[in-house]
Amino acid sequence: MPSKPAAKTVAPKSASTGHNLARLTDLYRMMVRIRAFEETALEAHKTGEIPGPLHVSIGQEGVATGVCANLSREDRITSNHRGHGHALAKGAESGRMFLELFGREGGYCGGKGGSLHIADFSVGMLGANGVVSGGIPIAVGAAQGLKMLKSKAIAVCFFGDGAINRGPFLEGLNWAALYKLPVLFVCEDNGVAAFTATATVTAGPGVLARAESLGVAGMSVDGNNVIAVDAAAAQLVAEVRAGAGPRLLHAKTYRWTGHTSTDVAAWRDPKDVAAGKATCPIARLKATLVERGATDADAIVAQAATEMAQGRAAAKAAPWPQPSTAFDDVQDVGAVRFG
Amino acid sequence: MPSKPAAKTVAPKSASTGHNLARLTDLYRMMVRIRAFEETALEAHKTGEIPGPLHVSIGQEGVATGVCANLSREDRITSNHRGHGHALAKGAESGRMFLELFGREGGYCGGKGGSLHIADFSVGMLGANGVVSGGIPIAVGAAQGLKMLKSKAIAVCFFGDGAINRGPFLEGLNWAALYKLPVLFVCEDNGVAAFTATATVTAGPGVLARAESLGVAGMSVDGNNVIAVDAAAAQLVAEVRAGAGPRLLHAKTYRWTGHTSTDVAAWRDPKDVAAGKATCPIARLKATLVERGATDADAIVAQAATEMAQGRAAAKAAPWPQPSTAFDDVQDVGAVRFG
Amino acid sequence: MPKSSTIEVTLNEAGRLAALQEMRRDPRVWVLGEDVARGGLWGQYRGFLEEFGPERVVSTPISESTIMGAGLGAALVGTRPIIEMRIFDFVMCAMDELVNQIAKIRYMFGGQARPAVVVRMPHGMWRNSAAQHSQMLESWFVHLPGVIVVAPSSCEDEAGLLVSAIRSDDPVLFFDPKDLWPLSGTMPAGEIAPIPFGKARQLQSGKDLTIVTWSAIVPKVSEAATLLAKQGVHADVLDLRTLWPWDEAAVVASVKKTKRLLVVHESVEVGGFGAEIVARVIDQLGPSNVKVAKRLGAPRLPIPFSPPLENQIRVTTDKIVAAGLAVAKAG
Amino acid sequence: MPKSSTIEVTLNEAGRLAALQEMRRDPRVWVLGEDVARGGLWGQYRGFLEEFGPERVVSTPISESTIMGAGLGAALVGTRPIIEMRIFDFVMCAMDELVNQIAKIRYMFGGQARPAVVVRMPHGMWRNSAAQHSQMLESWFVHLPGVIVVAPSSCEDEAGLLVSAIRSDDPVLFFDPKDLWPLSGTMPAGEIAPIPFGKARQLQSGKDLTIVTWSAIVPKVSEAATLLAKQGVHADVLDLRTLWPWDEAAVVASVKKTKRLLVVHESVEVGGFGAEIVARVIDQLGPSNVKVAKRLGAPRLPIPFSPPLENQIRVTTDKIVAAGLAVAKAG
Ligand SMILES: Cc1ncc(C[n+]2csc(CCOP(=O)(O)OP(=O)(O)O)c2C)c(N)n1
Ligand SMILES: Cc1ncc(C[n+]2csc(CCOP(=O)(O)OP(=O)(O)O)c2C)c(N)n1
Ligand SMILES: [Mg+2]
Ligand SMILES: [Mg+2]
């Protein structure tokens, strides 16, 4: 199984090439909306408006944004436990997402999933997943199904650097390469898995070498440079869509917060945290926008803040799901109505 | 995690270097005994003396023999579904093995395991395994335990080329490299997995590249040249024992028979089968022995034939286990005696 | 061909014909699993590659997690996979994909998706294949919300229930009784009609006791019931055929008549589905309306290899007859 | 310290102290699992790394199959691992290693080896964690030969049963009740004595009905029993503490007295361990000696996220009281 092009690092195209201001602005708007959604969700979790576990991706917005900017509505994505950004970037509505996180009627999953299972099948977001690597075989199978159905759509599989130490990573990549499936694997490498630095539990030269050894060509990119992510994703998505088989994008990024909203990640060195935050993909793109003469950056931030504040308020005001809906959507034959 | 030495192919040392006639004769005797054991077992399975599924390794004797020739009794091995050769090479007695395959009293597992679960813990053979890749995490854990206990012993893990497409391969190698465990992985590559050519279900450059990508250095060797296997194993076992961490030996070999004793593998090209048999490790070593002036090759074959004929006859004559022993060795607390 | 006419088949062939019919009927149906392009380990897909090609008859790597998970993913985009697991015990390598994903996806996502997969899992004791190739854990999946559990024992049911399974929009766990692959029987000629889930099949009728059973042990139960009849003990024998949903109404009605219940299954008695049946019957009829309720299953042991050991722990016709007599005479 | 004196702890701390004691007592005992070097997800190993070092407190990759399988391998060479699985649902990623290997190795190899492992699996509903982080499937393992199944609900039992588990030469599946981690209670000061497996704890006594229960739901059952007593309905309340072996004798003796059985568990009622209890009691006493035998568990649904939905399907004190009254008055 040839696995060219050999893994390599894509240099971020300078903003002037290929990226017109409109696209940069769109990328900026999406990152800002993801940031605003999750900061709002963190607030709402603190006050108890949002129950259950909450995993935010603050600092990582560049990856979901840059990759999904290259997808169509028909394309499918699978996500992991940190799926808000993936959902928004794929086109999910913040309002219905808030309703779901709040466990209210009208949420994407009718309140049955919450943050950990955020999904919007209508835009091809096949779901966050509570199991690390859980999305890998699903994405591979989705790609196999799409190929079988002669669809032009592809599948994209988002997972973290902690996921590459579970068996499904090997099985899924081997499988995708074998059947030359239209799937792009995206490893969001924030250097941590829960409370452990992934470098301390991951042997070998890294995810690209693992992918190569399984017949999947890949690239590394600075995940906090959304222009570079957009460029790399554009190339890989084009190759995948053209039928070249699977590809892997390794995006280095940084997560500002702890593992969950209640984890302060006290074990991290404050110096590293500061350095990590300094690479903020939003701040970096804003600088480029300003340099390119854009004037609406602050307005975009304000709009996003309003959008999310309204979403939060609407969710808080929304009715709870009817208790009897707990019995819906298990299975048609053999369904139970009551205990 | 550095994974030097880089994967490479070891050239078979010429028989004159390092291999005195006594050692060559020992290697020959072991291969001949394995062959005789399995040919006898095949016979006994045809007649119904041996019940249940039977997987033989005829043609692959060079790998188990060459590797185990470098192990001490304290070293541990795990095996797969094709474990007769591994057991014999590690020092198990053919007589008690026959008793087990026949399901008789006095068999290694008291008749509870049969061929698929052949094991002799007294010589460090931690068991054949009915689950492909099942032995990988066990071997890795055994190595971790041995290291923890400050033992000089190492673990060796035998598996087939079909096993490298299951998750435990990735998890186990990453784990072994991470903790620098004293374990040697041995991939017996006979080109097939059940009724499928492994090349048609395995993507990427191969097992060595996979191991490298997980921080495990390895070597390829002609598994049907037992002298080469012995030399390669000697080097890798020495490195592992010295605390260098895990290593992988990739041994190309050929299986003469079908997947199970009842599978004729009609799908294989007769030309390939002929070519495969032509690489018989026993015939090749015999030629070397004769060239080196050995005169006892035929006597060794005759002795092995006698040993196995006696083992078979003894097993056939042996009593069945007491039915009540079916209730033994489940668990001490919470054991049941009857239905 | 007249609907009345029937054909002679083995259970294996019955399943093959059912899958064949459904793959011809619906181009979205496909099969994946190890060696399926060569007809599958049990030959239950003989000729499929030739007719449907490698895109719909996919021989896979030994990657159970992905066989299960990829089947799920492919279902989420609108195909209808038959996920062939070869031998049930290997499903243990794919439990996250089955238990945490397939069984929960429809509910967890509020009905946004329904994974229309059939997971075929040949199970049970089979010619001394020992602890890792003989397990029956079907009761586990009755306890698992989100799945339909099917366990046929006859050629006709293997075919008709497999058709229903392939047409189901919810996941179906289909336990092929591997010891019965060679069982010969008849099935209606021509189009194989789907058999609805949740309807037991009455094999014999009698007033003295009710015997409830399913899967590979059914032929032995029939044999035992015939022997019991010779001794003047007449049993209602119900083959449940599907464990979830299961035909509680038929079982309760029968026990209401006989007042005596015996559940027979090949799997371990402790924590087996027989316990659920006893508990429901007692719950529905009230203890005072039942004279005796017993179960006959395997003792809580892994399956040993050696024939006399396997025989010692296995449910046999003799044991069923003895249990039937005890239940008929008790109280 | 006098044996009589006790200390105040949480259930989480009780478990921590038990593991700490055993790791001090036996150098072959060690713990492996994700984040355990940082004290574990639940802090149940706080301070272990500092005291025992990284060789005995092993933070692992996210590799559940290998966490389970490596624990087994290490046990086969004479160490005694505590295999920490973080949250029960993730055990689905390691079922081959648990079901096909750990549970069968002693038997399959004719007693040549005994894997002395403890598998800790915090389970159950916990603050709206939805379908993939709330499952209770403890009944599955009662049906699985080769393992001991422990499900404590009090600080004292968490400690004493964990000590017994770590000292067991056979594999023990230890279900920490994660919703009860903060539960405060007392335990004997000083050396933690092992609590034998298979002995139920009587929490309340009464003649009107027998309530059998275990794990996270126990505090609610106690509360309900107290409310029932206020209404003049007095229950024998038995916390089984271990499900295999389980204290059948105590349960049968109690029902013999009360003639009324109610089993309460948080897990799904269909196919739950309650069914086995009902079936055994009916088997042992005969239906005619039991007036009523009922179960109260969750309906057959995955666990939903939203509080009102979770509350709708969850076993609550009100539901237990209602069920208790119904059982007390029935027949
Ligand atoms: C199979 C499995 N094991 C463990 C967990 C608990 N867990 C949830 S997220 C997480 C860390 C994942 O790290 P990574 O994949 O790098 O994603 P990140 O949190 O860094 O975005 C762990 C261990 C889980 N959800 N699933
Ligand atoms: C997890 C699992 N899947 C499938 C099987 C069925 N099976 C037994 S051996 C085998 C082929 C293994 O091939 P390989 O590892 O190359 O060993 P070989 O038979 O060639 O010696 C298969 C698919 C199994 N035992 N375990
Ligand atoms: Mg990470
Ligand atoms: Mg092979």
Side-chain angles (χ1 to χ4, degrees), chain B residues 21 86 101 122 142 159 169-170 183 198 215 239 276 282 293 305 316 328:
Chain B
L21 194 53
H86 306 135
L101 269 62
S122 72
F159 52 86
F169 177 84
L170 172 139
V183 55
T198 45
E239 291 173 9
I282 296 177
K316 194 169 180 179
D328 300 339

Side-chain angles (χ1 to χ4, degrees), chain C residues 208-212 235-236 238 251 254-255 258 260-263:
Chain C
D208 302 331
L209 77 155
T210 301
I211 304 181
V212 179
D236 260 358
L238 295 172
V251 172
S254 174
V255 179
T258 65
R260 296 164 186 276
L261 171 64
L262 173 65
V263 183

Side-chain angles (χ1 to χ4, degrees), chain D residues 15-296:
Chain D
R16 196 186 72 87
L17 292 173
L20 195 60
Q21 166 180 304
E22 293 308 295
M23 283 186 68
R24 286 174 177 163
R25 177 174 175 276
D26 184 345
R28 298 168 306 167
V29 178
W30 58 294
V31 58
L32 73 162
E34 296 151 11
D35 297 314
V36 294
R38 292 206 190 281
L41 176 65
W42 311 101
Q44 69 273 56
Y45 304 104
R46 282 184 314 281
F48 280 43
L49 177 71
E50 296 68 11
E51 178 163 351
F52 303 109
E55 274 230 322
R56 289 179 67 195
V57 183
V58 179
S59 270
T60 69
I62 305 171
S63 303
E64 277 72 15
S65 300
T66 307
I67 294 169
M68 189 75 76
L72 166 58
L76 294 182
V77 298
T79 71
R80 305 178 70 89
I82 299 169
I83 300 171
E84 173 55 56
M85 295 306 294
R86 188 179 193 109
I87 294 181
F88 168 73
D89 306 68
F90 310 146
V91 172
M92 294 302 109
C93 303
M95 287 293 271
D96 172 58
E97 292 72 18
L98 178 54
V99 173
N100 288 333
Q101 313 293 342
I102 287 175
K104 294 177 172 48
I105 258 179
R106 180 180 175 185
Y107 190 81
M108 196 160 68
F109 295 146
Q112 292 186 70
R114 294 176 65 178
V117 300
V118 181
V119 186
R120 288 185 75 175
M121 312 183 285
H123 78 155
M125 295 193 201
W126 181 74
R127 304 195 207 148
N128 307 98
S129 25
Q132 292 177 335
H133 285 58
S134 308
Q135 281 173 103
M136 302 186 88
L137 297 174
E138 70 276 12
S139 68
W140 282 14
F141 302 95
V142 177
H143 187 55
L144 177 70
V147 296
I148 291 163
V149 182
V150 180
S153 71
S154 72
C155 299
E156 189 167 359
D157 292 342
E158 172 83 7
L161 288 168
L162 187 52
V163 167
S164 295
I166 294 170
R167 296 183 191 180
S168 167
D169 290 329
D170 291 315
V172 177
L173 308 190
F174 195 93
F175 290 92
D176 299 282
K178 67 179 190 285
D179 209 28
L180 300 184
W181 282 133
L183 179 80
S184 57
T186 61
M187 56 184 266
E191 167 93 9
I192 302 165
I195 293 175
F197 300 132
K199 294 263 155 281
R201 181 188 288 274
Q202 177 143 14
L203 300 178
Q204 300 190 32
S205 57
K207 51 175 192 1
D208 301 331
L209 78 154
T210 301
I211 305 181
V212 178
T213 187
W214 58 88
S215 197
I217 201 74
V218 169
K220 289 189 186 132
V221 171
S222 296
E223 193 183 17
T226 305
L227 293 169
L228 284 167
K230 291 215 181 75
Q231 303 183 44
V233 173
H234 301 278
D236 260 358
V237 179
L238 295 172
D239 175 356
L240 287 182
R241 306 196 290 179
T242 69
L243 304 189
W244 195 268
W246 66 285
D247 199 343
E248 183 175 318
V251 172
V252 168
S254 174
V255 179
K256 194 166 180 181
K257 175 182 72 179
T258 65
K259 304 250 182 298
R260 296 165 186 276
L261 171 65
L262 173 65
V263 183
V264 181
H265 54 68
E266 184 176 304
S267 43
V268 168
E269 181 173 309
V270 173
F273 185 56
E276 178 69 19
I277 295 170
V278 169
R280 287 299 301 169
V281 165
I282 292 295
D283 188 22
Q284 293 302 293
L285 292 176
S288 56
N289 297 311
V290 179
K291 279 215 184 62
V292 53
K294 297 261 183 197
R295 298 170 292 159
L296 176 62

Side-chain angles (χ1 to χ4, degrees), chain A residues 197-249:
Chain A
T198 44
T200 65
V201 289
T202 310
V207 66
L208 280 180
R210 291 186 184 192
E212 276 289 306
S213 78
L214 297 164
V216 178
M219 288 179 179
S220 277
V221 69
D222 174 355
N224 289 357
N225 178 337
V226 70
I227 300 174
V229 175
D230 184 24
Q235 175 180 334
L236 295 180
V237 165
E239 291 174 7
V240 169
R241 215 182 283 284
R247 294 288 186 264
L248 183 138
L249 179 63

Side-chain angles (χ1 to χ4, degrees), chain B residues 12-327:
Chain B
K13 294 185 183 167
S14 100
S16 49
T17 63
H19 282 91
N20 60 43
L21 194 53
R23 184 168 183 93
L24 294 181
T25 305
D26 289 344
L27 293 170
Y28 184 74
R29 182 178 296 103
M30 183 56 73
M31 292 197 293
V32 165
R33 287 181 63 232
I34 295 170
R35 175 76 54 94
F37 179 91
E38 293 196 313
E39 283 176 339
T40 306
L42 275 180
E43 272 306 310
H45 193 269
K46 274 208 202 66
T47 62
E49 292 158 69
I50 292 178
L54 184 74
H55 303 84
V56 298
S57 61
I58 292 172
Q60 304 183 185
E61 299 87 350
V63 185
T65 300
V67 170
C68 293
N70 293 279
L71 302 181
S72 77
R73 187 188 181 93
E74 289 61 43
D75 295 321
R76 313 297 208 281
I77 68 169
T78 63
S79 173
N80 59 0
H81 52 284
R82 210 172 293 286
H84 308 137
H86 306 135
L88 285 164
K90 192 63 174 67
E93 297 163 22
S94 59
R96 292 195 62 194
M97 287 175 62
F98 274 118
L99 287 168
E100 188 57 38
L101 269 62
F102 277 64
R104 305 303 173 106
E105 192 175 288
Y108 275 114
C109 309
K112 287 179 173 143
S115 165
L116 197 53
H117 303 297
I118 196 71
D120 179 1
F121 279 63
S122 72
V123 298
M125 197 310 198
L126 304 188
N129 206 306
V131 178
V132 167
S133 305
I136 294 177
I138 297 173
V140 164
Q144 196 158 18
L146 290 168
K147 186 175 182 179
M148 205 172 300
L149 297 171
K150 311 264 179 289
S151 164
K152 281 261 142 298
I154 72 168
V156 175
C157 179
F158 290 95
F159 52 86
D161 47 325
I164 71 170
N165 291 326
R166 273 205 64 228
F169 177 84
L170 172 139
E171 292 191 7
L173 269 68
N174 177 68
W175 186 290
L178 194 59
Y179 303 111
K180 256 181 159 245
L181 301 180
V183 55
L184 173 64
F185 299 99
V186 179
C187 179
E188 296 183 272
D189 181 358
N190 57 17
V192 290
F195 318 133
T196 297
T198 45
T200 64
V201 289
T202 310
V207 65
L208 280 181
R210 292 186 184 191
E212 276 289 306
S213 78
L214 296 165
V216 178
M219 288 178 180
S220 278
V221 69
D222 174 355
N224 289 358
N225 178 337
V226 71
I227 299 174
V229 175
D230 185 25
Q235 175 180 333
L236 296 179
V237 165
E239 291 173 9
V240 169
R241 214 181 285 283
R247 293 289 185 265
L248 183 138
L249 179 63
H250 172 225
K252 284 290 303 173
T253 182
Y254 187 81
R255 192 185 71 215
W256 291 20
T257 63
H259 173 49
T260 62
S261 57
T262 53
D263 164 33
V264 295
W267 59 276
R268 298 200 297 192
D269 180 336
K271 277 196 228 60
D272 299 347
V273 177
K277 291 187 174 181
T279 67
C280 176
I282 296 177
R284 284 165 71 180
L285 182 56
K286 180 175 179 181
T288 305
L289 283 174
V290 171
E291 158 204 326
R292 299 268 310 260
T295 58
D296 52 359
D298 297 338
I300 288 170
V301 172
Q303 285 156 11
T306 310
E307 175 191 355
M308 303 312 162
Q310 286 171 348
R312 176 186 182 179
K316 194 169 180 179
W320 295 102
Q322 287 302 320
S324 68
T325 62
F327 296 90

Side-chain angles (χ1 to χ4, degrees), chain A residues 103 130 165-166 195-196 331, chain D residues 35 38 62-63 132-133 300 306:
Chain A
N165 291 327
R166 273 204 65 227
F195 318 133
T196 297
Q331 59 194 89
Chain D
D35 297 314
R38 292 206 190 281
I62 305 171
S63 303
Q132 292 177 335
H133 285 58
R300 191 174 178 275
S306 180

